[in-house]
Amino acid sequence: MSALFILLGIVGGIVIVVNPFIGLLVTVGLFPQALIPSMGYSFLGAFSMMTPIKIIGAVTFLATVIHLLIQGRSWSFLKSSGFKIYSIYLVYLYIDGFAQPTSFSRELFTTFTSFWVFGFTILALITTPQRLRLLTIVAVISMAVASAQSVLSFLTRPDYLLMMSRLRGTNFDPNYFAISLLPFIVISFYVGLAEKNKIVKLLLLFIPVILVTALILTQSRGGLLGLAVMLLFAIIRAKNKFSALITVGVLSFILVSVMPQTVWERFEKTRLENSHDDTIGSTVRRYYLAMAAWEMFLDYPIFGSGPGNYYYNCRLYYPLSPGRAHSLYLEIMAEMGSVGLILFLSVLFSALRHANRVIKSGIKPYDSYARGVFLGLIAFMVAALFLHAQQEKTLWLVVFLSLALTHLSQNPGPEKNDVKVRK
């Protein structure tokens, strides 16, 4: 490790300690970037090895707690129903994981604990509309930059490679990149509608074009289905449904017109037949993976077989190589049982309820932000029917933004109003 790297780390740590909001912005900005190799050792033997984003997130969390204590600020944000449910889900994950440990236990403990830390930090630091705006814009632009880089790299490949491959993005997998794009497409649009700065407004309204282009090039059937359902809900939830219908209709026509033929071929080949064709073969494999998850759930209906147990144990039900269930809901059912699924869905529906409440309040600009969050979460949940995506960072950013929006709309005053009056 070079001296320059250490020096930058120390300076960065001091900056974050002084202003933890900067650490939060850096953390969110790194979300869509490619995975960075681990460094150092696991913590207490129960967590996976550290990466730069984990270190930045941990320092930001500690700095946030210190600031809360020094300033004597209220911790009322912890009363959010969604955050409390997630905390219960995390505790259940620990209990279930220690009771039925697997080779993936440390990774799961690390991932979901880091999401709790991330949620705590967002709720503690997003205390003004200015901070909400800045955080959202940083997140959207970061995803747009990552998407633009991926698209340009993909389109400059030789033609024969272009026809045979799918855009993988920064997740190294086209399907996961696609599902991560969905919330940002609609959030960028609605945040753009609420933006007052004309240059930023035009940028935010153009970014969905980049993101949708990347989504199409992933050729992800689940991602495109999520986009279709999102557009449908946009019409249903619109104030002026006729205008929304015309707008979505025009956009849909354009999308269908520019859609590569290979995308339609993937949909046409989605059938349960054994074949040497990769698309049909993947469909058959996913069917058996889903059936294995369902049968595992029937064997362990209450508490599941244990977090992370599905990956290898699916072979006990069908002649499969190790793999994931390719369905967020089925995998949670198989590994964490009815209890885990109910808690997980409770978190998601709590976030939807929070966002819907802000939309109905009509408080500007929170209602516009909430529309983007609501539709983005709907799209993610639909696409997750075909992907085991509970560990995707985008999901939890959207969930905790929803909770932060409720807290902000109910406490619209400046940050200093959160400080307790001391006698």
Side-chain angles (χ1 to χ4, degrees), residues 82-355:
F83 192 73
K84 287 191 289 187
I85 297 172
Y86 182 82
S87 299
I88 296 173
Y89 177 76
L90 179 62
V91 171
Y92 175 70
L93 173 71
Y94 274 110
I95 295 173
D96 208 20
F98 279 119
Q100 305 176 90
T102 70
S103 57
F104 296 104
S105 295
R106 291 198 307 176
E107 176 186 346
L108 291 171
F109 293 160
T110 301
T111 300
F112 286 96
T113 300
S114 66
F115 290 149
W116 186 94
V117 167
F118 180 61
F120 178 98
T121 307
I122 282 185
L123 293 175
L125 296 181
I126 303 303
T127 53
T128 65
Q130 292 79 15
R131 286 190 169 187
L132 172 68
R133 172 181 176 270
L134 187 56
L135 180 75
T136 308
I137 290 176
V138 167
V140 169
I141 290 179
S142 180
M143 180 59 79
V145 170
S147 299
Q149 290 175 339
S150 300
V151 170
L152 289 174
S153 175
F154 185 79
L155 294 178
T156 52
R157 287 173 156 185
D159 290 342
Y160 73 93
L161 281 178
L162 177 61
M163 297 302 295
M164 295 173 59
S165 62
R166 300 161 57 192
L167 184 132
R168 296 179 178 272
T170 57
N171 297 62
F172 303 119
D173 184 280
N175 292 316
Y176 293 113
F177 190 55
I179 199 172
S180 294
L181 290 169
L182 287 172
F184 289 102
I185 293 171
V186 67
I187 288 175
S188 181
F189 176 77
Y190 280 102
V191 172
L193 291 181
E195 179 60 40
K196 294 181 179 179
N197 185 298
K198 292 183 178 179
I199 296 177
V200 178
K201 186 183 194 74
L202 289 174
L203 176 64
L204 291 173
L205 292 177
F206 175 73
I207 282 177
V209 177
I210 300 174
L211 301 183
V212 171
T213 300
L215 177 64
I216 291 174
L217 292 177
T218 64
Q219 301 186 39
S220 170
R221 290 165 288 183
L224 291 170
L225 178 61
L227 178 64
V229 173
M230 181 174 70
L231 293 174
L232 177 61
F233 266 81
I235 297 173
I236 296 173
R237 304 281 303 188
K239 293 181 180 178
N240 189 329
K241 290 183 173 52
F242 179 75
S243 297
L245 180 61
I246 296 299
T247 303
V248 170
V250 172
L251 291 175
S252 299
F253 176 77
I254 295 173
L255 286 175
V256 170
S257 300
V258 302
M259 199 85 73
Q261 182 60 33
T262 50
V263 176
W264 301 115
E265 290 175 357
R266 282 181 58 79
F267 278 99
E268 291 172 2
K269 294 174 181 177
T270 305
R271 56 184 184 271
L272 293 175
E273 296 178 10
N274 288 309
S275 169
H276 295 294
D277 184 279
D278 289 340
T279 304
I280 299 176
S282 70
T283 302
V284 173
R285 173 172 167 78
R286 290 188 182 196
Y287 171 76
Y288 287 124
L289 286 168
M291 290 302 298
W294 174 250
E295 292 182 20
M296 188 178 293
F297 166 70
L298 294 180
D299 287 342
Y300 307 92
I302 308 300
F303 303 110
S305 61
N309 261 317
Y310 175 84
Y311 184 81
Y312 290 115
N313 289 349
C314 64
R315 297 175 296 178
L316 302 177
Y317 295 85
Y318 289 91
L320 295 162
S321 59
R324 305 289 294 274
H326 278 283
S327 172
L328 180 152
Y329 312 105
L330 281 174
E331 185 159 304
I332 292 178
M333 289 170 60
E335 295 187 345
M336 300 182 70
S338 302
V339 176
L341 181 65
I342 290 171
L343 288 173
F344 185 84
L345 290 179
S346 296
V347 175
L348 300 188
F349 284 110
S350 177
L352 288 174
R353 187 174 65 253
H354 277 273

Side-chain angles (χ1 to χ4, degrees), residues 347-380:
V347 175
L348 300 188
F349 284 110
S350 177
L352 288 174
R353 187 174 65 253
H354 277 273
N356 191 50
R357 190 180 303 157
V358 177
I359 294 171
K360 290 182 177 180
S361 73
I363 301 174
K364 306 294 182 183
Y366 305 128
D367 60 336
S368 188
Y369 281 65
R371 286 183 186 277
V373 168
F374 183 91
L375 293 174
L377 185 53
I378 289 290
F380 193 102

